């Protein structure tokens, strides 16, 4: 018989007990496509309570930013699954481009009645969508917050070779017979290799959680065509190309060890912004939203206090 001290330890929870009580799921039809979104209401509204619209990254969905939302219990946070990802359908017409996603943001905000005091947050590919949206629609939101922003062209510099390999991977998966292509895109081995490469934490439990999240949600895309279009958009644009048009206050939250959005590129991007500030979290890479949600939320909270509605 096992004694008490021989019993396995319970798996740690990476979410607060109050998160579920804040959560409200809903669907809405935008231009013929059903979009799933989640609203996290504030536990208690305060004078500092803001409405924050979050745009997730490539191949992600709303689950990715949950730990950050959990760390901001005084805020009202709205997180859609972008069309083509998670529980949202692909666009009925038009390519899954940065411009089309910007149109989606416009229509989604209008449908939910979100005004210019809305805070816009974008992570990774979501930073490209958010920045280009703001550059095209000044005055629509304020301020802008970019987490792990894609600050420079993906096809240039030291990471260009890896990006070219990724381009070949997605193009091959799109051209293979459907079963083979989907198997390649959803390969647990490839997903795990990607997850291992991005995770920087030495915490075994946290690494297990991250890999579980990627395994559960990284392959939730609508179809191969929309995925290839979205990937092409993710490597064809970047934030720096519109930085000069971002006249509103902008917060950049970067990871010291980010190999996708490197720290030197973040410093160059910050210098291009008319009203920008860069905060760097040490010891983390491209998974700030999973590994260091507390510091990220702290920077967001301080930034919003400095820039009230």
């Amino acid at each position: 018989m096992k004694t008490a001290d021989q019993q396995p330890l319970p798996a740690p929870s990476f979410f607060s007990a109050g998160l579920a009580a804040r959560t409200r799921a809903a669907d809405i039809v935008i231009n013929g496509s059903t979009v799933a979104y989640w609203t996290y209401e504030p536990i208690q509204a305060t004078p500092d309570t803001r409405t924050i619209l979050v745009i997730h990254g490539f191949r992600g969905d709303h689950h990715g930013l949950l730990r950050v939302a959990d760390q901001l219990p005084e805020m009202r946070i709205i997180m859609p699954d972008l069309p083509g990802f998670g529980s949202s359908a692909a666009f009925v017409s038009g390519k899954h481009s940065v411009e089309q996603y910007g149109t989606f943001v416009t229509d989604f905000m209008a449908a939910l009645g979100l005004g210019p005091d809305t805070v816009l947050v974008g992570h990774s590919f979501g930073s490209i969508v958010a920045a280009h949206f703001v550059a095209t629609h000044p005055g629509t939101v304020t301020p802008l917050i970019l987490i792990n922003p894609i600050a420079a062209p993906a096809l240039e510099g030291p990471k260009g070779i890896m990006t070219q390999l990724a381009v070949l991977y997605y193009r091959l998966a799109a051209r293979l017979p459907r079963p083979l292509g989907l198997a390649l895109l959803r390969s647990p081995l490839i997903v795990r290799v990607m997850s291992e490469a991005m995770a920087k934490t030495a915490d075994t439990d946290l690494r297990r959680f991250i890999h579980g999240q990627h395994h559960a949600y990284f392959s939730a895309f609508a179809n191969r065509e929309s995925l290839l279009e979205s990937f092409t958009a993710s490597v064809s644009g970047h934030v720096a190309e519109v930085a000069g048009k971002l006249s509103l206050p902008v917060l950049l939250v970067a990871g010291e060890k980010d190999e996708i959005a490197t720290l030197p590129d973040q410093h160059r991007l910050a210098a291009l912004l008319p009203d920008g500030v860069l905060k760097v979290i040490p010891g983390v890479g491209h998974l700030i939203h999973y590994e260091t949600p507390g510091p990220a939320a702290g920077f967001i909270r301080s930034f919003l206090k400095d820039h009230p509605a």
Side-chain angles (χ1 to χ4, degrees):
M1 180 181 295
K2 288 186 178 181
T3 61
D5 59 351
Q6 291 176 310
Q7 296 296 326
L9 293 173
S13 174
F14 291 96
F15 300 105
S16 74
L19 182 64
R22 297 174 58 199
T23 305
R24 178 167 52 86
D27 292 335
I28 191 170
V29 177
I30 303 288
N31 294 325
S33 298
T34 299
V35 173
Y37 69 97
W38 286 258
T39 303
Y40 303 87
E41 300 291 354
I43 289 179
Q44 182 175 356
T46 73
D48 294 326
T49 296
R50 301 286 297 275
T51 294
I52 303 175
L53 175 60
V54 178
I55 309 299
H56 64 72
F58 176 69
R59 285 191 72 160
D61 64 14
H62 74 284
H63 290 93
L65 279 297
L66 266 183
R67 295 198 74 205
V68 178
D70 198 12
Q71 296 286 328
L72 294 166
E74 76 277 24
M75 301 295 176
R76 178 177 183 245
I77 301 174
I78 301 172
M79 301 200 298
D81 284 352
L82 289 179
F85 295 101
S87 298
S88 293
F91 289 127
V92 172
S93 61
K95 289 188 175 182
H96 294 71
S97 63
V98 172
E99 293 75 19
Q100 184 83 335
Y101 279 120
T103 299
F104 161 74
V105 174
T106 298
D107 295 338
F108 183 79
M109 289 185 64
L112 269 63
L114 301 179
D117 57 343
T118 302
V119 180
L120 184 60
V121 173
H123 171 255
S124 191
F125 173 55
S127 74
I128 303 175
V129 173
H132 281 250
F133 166 77
V134 170
T136 308
H137 303 87
T140 309
V141 298
T142 187
L144 174 64
I145 299 171
L146 305 178
I147 302 173
N148 293 120
I150 305 302
L155 296 171
E156 299 177 7
K159 59 184 180 292
I161 295 176
M162 294 304 297
T163 302
Q164 291 287 1
L165 291 175
V167 170
L168 293 175
Y169 165 72
Y170 282 102
R171 287 180 178 173
L172 175 63
R175 292 173 181 172
L176 286 171
R178 179 179 171 81
L180 291 177
L182 289 175
L184 180 61
L185 289 170
R186 291 176 170 147
S187 165
L189 176 60
I190 292 176
V191 171
R192 182 58 178 264
V193 169
M194 173 279 304
S195 189
E196 290 282 2
M198 289 196 293
K200 302 303 179 186
T201 179
D203 185 314
T204 303
D205 289 328
L206 181 53
R207 289 185 75 92
R208 186 179 298 114
F209 168 77
I210 291 168
H211 300 329
Q213 291 283 295
H214 285 143
H215 176 75
Y217 306 119
F218 199 68
S219 296
F221 51 86
N223 55 61
R224 294 184 297 166
E225 295 73 24
S226 63
L227 186 65
L228 176 60
E229 290 174 355
S230 298
F231 172 74
T232 302
S234 75
V235 299
S236 301
H238 54 92
V239 177
E241 61 190 344
V242 296
K245 297 180 180 179
L246 304 178
S247 58
L248 77 175
V250 180
L251 169 64
L252 308 177
V253 183
E256 176 194 21
K257 296 183 177 181
D258 196 335
E259 296 164 344
I260 296 174
T262 64
L263 193 54
D265 287 339
Q266 303 299 332
H267 283 287
R268 283 189 283 269
L269 172 59
L272 294 173
L273 294 168
D275 185 8
V277 59
L278 170 63
K279 298 295 183 180
V280 179
I281 302 178
V284 67
H286 203 64
L287 302 181
I288 284 174
H289 55 311
Y290 282 138
E291 296 189 28
T292 55
F299 288 137
I300 291 171
R301 182 178 291 109
S302 296
F303 188 70
L304 294 183
K305 285 185 178 179
D306 292 340
H307 301 90

